[in-house]
Amino acid sequence: MEAQDEFVLVSAPNKTGEQFIKALRIKGITYAAITNNETEKSRLTHLGVKHILMVDTVDRETWLIPELPVGKVYLFESSLPLICRYIQICRSWTGKPIYIITGSNNARLIYKGLGASYVIYTRSDDVSFLLDNES
């Protein structure tokens, strides 16, 4: 499967994640969002996200590989436990890099130990530079 056939997967629980989704759209990159609750799903739909993967972060039996092919993953941190679950879920879905974008420098080793490829610390709402090498 070629990279352009894959979806970039994003968790966007905050303003930085929302800005990243806008950057994906501007660049014409195929993407999907991941969430574990209806409130966030509604917010993502309102943002114009067409492909949303709902996951039950508690029940491992439901962590089935989605029908859409997952490529790179960008997880924007809102809570340590949630990002840890998302890493565990997404690592089984893709062999491509998983990026964690965080405002905290405390959990870097935890995230890397769970399978994150890169942990990016930033206080900026604009992380579109992460897409510089994307088509």
Side-chain angles (χ1 to χ4, degrees):
M1 178 173 298
E2 295 183 29
Q4 62 263 27
D5 295 335
E6 296 175 333
F7 284 71
V8 168
L9 186 61
V10 181
S11 76
N14 51 38
K15 184 177 180 183
T16 308
E18 290 176 9
Q19 293 296 331
F20 190 75
I21 284 176
K22 289 176 185 174
L24 287 166
R25 192 175 304 124
I26 289 168
K27 289 194 101 166
I29 297 170
T30 306
Y31 70 94
I34 185 172
T35 184
N36 70 340
N37 66 73
E38 287 294 332
T39 303
E40 189 169 328
K41 180 180 180 183
S42 176
R43 185 179 58 77
L44 291 165
T45 300
H46 183 72
L47 286 171
V49 178
K50 292 180 178 43
H51 303 281
I52 301 173
L53 301 177
M54 283 286 294
V55 294
D56 180 343
T57 52
V58 177
D59 185 2
R60 287 180 180 266
E61 298 298 317
T62 65
W63 298 356
L64 305 174
I65 297 173
E67 290 183 19
L68 58 86
V70 176
K72 291 180 181 177
V73 178
Y74 296 87
L75 303 173
F76 291 82
E77 183 186 58
S78 62
S79 80
L80 177 96
L82 183 57
I83 291 297
C84 288
R85 287 297 172 120
Y86 280 166
I87 293 169
Q88 291 173 317
I89 293 166
C90 295
R91 183 43 67 210
S92 69
W93 293 354
T94 185
K96 297 288 173 76
I98 296 176
Y99 298 81
I100 308 302
I101 299 87
T102 179
S104 168
N105 209 11
N106 298 328
R108 182 175 305 272
L109 293 176
I110 294 170
Y111 294 153
K112 296 285 271 184
L114 288 171
S117 308
Y118 304 99
V119 180
I120 298 152
Y121 172 79
T122 184
R123 294 273 186 206
S124 173
D125 288 336
D126 181 9
V127 292
S128 59
F129 65 88
L130 293 171
L131 299 174
D132 286 349
N133 293 328
E134 296 291 328
S135 56

